[in-house]
């Protein structure tokens, strides 16, 4: 299995006033690739089944100190997806760099690109809907304070919903959760960057599409947005106590495909009607119990005995865990605080063939680190 098949779950500056020169872009990208620090990617797949745990599992990518906001292709480089970075730098991408303020936050939509085969980390849904849409958003605080770093206990306490919404379609039925969505996230130089992905939205270009952002929940919130069933328009609620904004996406109507759109809507509607994922699945319950045991020091049952392996280290000093040909690399500083003995409070979820496993790391009093897999269902 490729590393990309390991699905890891569960981010004060102003937007640049001009687009950086391409030479500067390439210089920054080159520096980013050659200064990969010891912080692993933090990726989330958005489905109704796992969103209950989405903010509990924290990993991140390498940090890069910048005086200006990164653009979309630079963010893709941060997430080690050079194929997608090239797509964001191509003529087919929309370079938007538009900002709005709401609540305590400053939101910038940097760019968007759609197509098939654009990412080095494909989603399983691409076997059915090969075309995907990717967008990059940054979030900073209006008061100039940095966003909580992923290692900060405050990280994740203010969740955000970032999703395309389609004019004329009920937003609670058609959003990033139901459209096979996923996202990667990191906080770089005090700014949260989120790279979202979902089924391709250009087929709805003739209807009109928004990019919605709200605070307070990772789900669509009908208190943050209002849907007018008569017109199909969606509006941000100015009385919402948190932040809520809508960006009108400048999609080319010529790229609309009403036939594909109709087929897609019918399929998604049918799945929504039969979806039972709103009931928390057993693996989520087991994962929550596992996290409680790790924090309390209780025994860890359901460990796969043969998966208990002492880690080795790569040339950068990162932990490297290998089991049955699968490899997971991460920074020991990300997993353990100085002097920590016992299980790390950070772990990853491995999804394979509808089976869910947790990857845990343990450090003994001599500093020896072992990894193990725990079966969650």
């Amino acid at each position: 299995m490729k590393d990309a098949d390991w699905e890891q779950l569960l981010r004060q500056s102003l937007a640049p006033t001009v687009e950086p020169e391409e030479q500067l872009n390439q210089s920054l990208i080159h520096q980013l690739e050659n200064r990969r620090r010891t912080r692993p990617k933090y990726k989330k797949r958005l489905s109704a089944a796992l969103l209950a745990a989405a903010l509990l599992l924290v990993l991140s990518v390498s940090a890069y100190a910048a005086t200006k906001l990164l653009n979309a292709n630079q963010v893709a480089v941060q997430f080690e997806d050079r194929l997608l970075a090239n797509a964001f730098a191509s003529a087919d991408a929309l370079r938007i760099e538009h900002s709005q303020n709401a609540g305590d936050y400053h939101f910038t939509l940097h760019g968007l690109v759609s197509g098939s085969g654009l990412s080095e980390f494909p989603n399983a849904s691409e076997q059915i809907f090969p075309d995907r849409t990717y967008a990059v958003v940054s979030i900073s605080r209006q008061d100039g304070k940095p966003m909580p770093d992923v290692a900060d206990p405050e990280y994740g306490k203010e969740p955000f919903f970032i999703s395309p919404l389609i004019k004329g379609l009920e937003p609670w039925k058609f959003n990033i959760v139901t459209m096979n969505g996923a996202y990667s996230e990191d906080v770089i130089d005090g700014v949260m960057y989120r790279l979202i992905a979902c089924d391709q939205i250009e087929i709805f270009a003739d209807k009109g599409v928004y990019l919605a952002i709200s605070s307070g929940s990772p789900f669509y919130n009908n208190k943050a947005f209002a849907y007018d069933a008569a017109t199909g328009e969606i509006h941000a609620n100015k009385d919402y106590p948190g932040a809520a904004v809508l960006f009108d996406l400048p999609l080319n109507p010529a790229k609309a495909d009403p036939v594909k759109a109709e087929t897609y809507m019918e399929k998604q509607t049918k799945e929504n009607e039969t979806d039972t994922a709103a009931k928390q699945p057993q693996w989520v319950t087991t994962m929550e119990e596992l996290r409680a045991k790790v924090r309390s020091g209780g025994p860890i049952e359901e460990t796969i005995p043969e998966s208990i392996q002492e880690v080795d280290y790569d040339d950068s000093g990162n932990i490297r865990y290998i089991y049955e040909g699968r490899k997971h690399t991460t920074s020991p500083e990300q997993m353990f605080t100085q002097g920590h003995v016992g299980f790390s409070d950070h772990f990853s979820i491995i999804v394979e063939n509808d089976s869910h496993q947790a990857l845990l790391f343990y450090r003994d009093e001599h500093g020896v680190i072992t990894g193990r897999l725990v079966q969650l269902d």
Side-chain angles (χ1 to χ4, degrees):
M1 177 178 290
K2 298 179 181 179
D3 292 351
D5 290 330
W6 285 63
E7 298 186 41
Q8 303 182 16
L9 306 178
L10 18 110
R11 301 41 352 178
Q12 132 184 32
S13 62
L14 299 174
T17 56
V18 295
E19 180 74 15
E21 294 182 359
E22 183 60 24
Q23 183 177 1
L24 176 58
N25 269 347
Q26 296 306 316
S27 176
L28 288 172
I29 291 172
H30 182 73
Q31 292 180 55
L32 289 169
E33 291 181 322
N34 288 285
R35 294 180 56 188
R36 291 173 56 187
R37 301 184 182 176
T38 57
R39 300 175 67 189
K41 280 196 286 281
Y42 173 32
K43 301 190 73 176
K44 294 183 183 179
R45 167 176 291 179
L46 291 178
S47 69
L50 61 77
L51 271 174
L55 296 177
L56 297 177
L57 308 175
V58 178
L59 297 172
S60 65
V61 298
S62 58
Y64 177 73
T67 58
K68 292 184 178 181
L69 294 178
L70 303 179
N71 62 30
N73 66 315
Q74 291 166 351
V75 172
V77 170
Q78 284 287 323
F79 289 99
E80 301 178 6
D81 195 336
R82 185 54 194 260
L83 191 61
L84 183 57
N86 290 338
F88 274 121
S90 72
D92 293 328
L94 296 176
R95 297 169 181 81
I96 300 173
E97 303 297 347
H98 181 61
S99 300
Q100 295 188 49
N101 293 330
D104 296 328
Y105 301 101
H106 179 80
F107 303 102
T108 300
L109 171 58
H110 295 278
L112 180 146
V113 68
S114 296
S116 61
L118 300 185
S119 173
E120 295 179 21
F121 309 107
N123 187 285
S125 68
E126 292 183 43
Q127 296 178 11
I128 301 173
F129 301 111
D131 289 336
R132 301 281 281 173
T133 290
Y134 302 86
V136 171
V137 170
S138 67
I139 305 173
S140 56
R141 291 184 57 88
Q142 292 195 59
D143 61 10
K145 294 180 180 178
M147 298 292 287
D149 189 78
V150 294
D152 192 316
E154 295 300 309
Y155 173 78
K157 288 188 176 181
E158 177 77 285
F160 294 92
F161 169 79
I162 303 179
S163 171
L165 300 178
I166 302 162
K167 296 180 183 180
L169 301 183
E170 297 96 328
W172 53 89
K173 293 183 180 179
F174 293 88
N175 60 60
I176 193 169
V177 177
T178 62
M179 297 172 69
N180 297 304
Y183 70 81
S184 302
E185 188 172 275
D186 192 24
V187 176
I188 304 170
D189 199 31
V191 178
M192 178 188 293
Y193 291 90
R194 183 176 291 191
L195 167 62
I196 70 167
C198 66
D199 294 334
Q200 200 250 90
I201 60 174
E202 286 187 330
I203 58 175
F204 298 103
D206 57 339
K207 291 180 175 290
V209 184
Y210 306 96
L211 193 286
I213 307 175
S214 62
S215 64
S217 172
F219 299 97
Y220 174 80
N221 187 339
N222 59 14
K223 294 181 179 179
F225 304 100
Y227 174 67
D228 188 330
T231 66
E233 297 286 336
I234 303 171
H235 305 278
N237 188 347
K238 296 180 180 179
D239 297 326
Y240 181 61
V245 298
L246 289 170
F247 293 88
D248 261 304
L249 298 181
L251 303 180
N252 183 355
K255 293 187 176 182
D257 191 326
V259 175
K260 281 188 177 180
E262 185 65 27
T263 301
Y264 182 84
M265 287 187 291
E266 290 176 356
K267 185 178 187 302
Q268 295 305 92
T269 298
K270 184 177 180 180
E271 290 183 354
N272 288 339
E273 290 174 350
T274 59
D275 186 17
T276 59
K279 297 179 181 179
Q280 181 163 288
Q282 180 59 44
W283 78 266
V284 176
T285 301
T286 307
M287 184 275 297
E288 293 171 345
E289 294 172 350
L290 175 62
R291 182 170 290 279
K293 290 176 183 178
V294 167
R295 289 175 170 170
S296 66
I300 307 298
E301 296 92 0
E302 313 305 330
T303 296
I304 301 173
E306 57 271 24
S307 72
I308 302 176
Q309 306 280 346
E310 182 176 338
V311 305
D312 60 9
Y313 298 85
D314 64 17
D315 294 339
S316 299
N318 296 322
I319 296 171
R320 186 167 57 188
Y321 172 80
I322 302 175
Y323 175 63
E324 292 188 339
R326 296 173 294 182
K327 181 173 66 175
H328 178 87
T329 303
T330 188
S331 163
E333 290 80 10
Q334 184 70 31
M335 293 291 104
F336 302 97
T337 58
Q338 187 173 5
H340 178 91
V341 173
F343 285 102
S344 170
D345 191 40
H346 299 289
F347 55 85
S348 301
I349 300 298
I350 311 302
V351 183
E352 182 178 5
N353 298 326
D354 295 324
S355 176
H356 299 77
Q357 299 172 344
L359 173 59
L360 279 69
F361 290 103
Y362 179 90
R363 185 165 65 182
D364 67 18
E365 62 273 16
H366 303 294
V368 177
I369 299 175
T370 55
R372 68 188 64 200
L373 293 173
V374 177
Q375 193 66 44
L376 298 178
D377 52 13

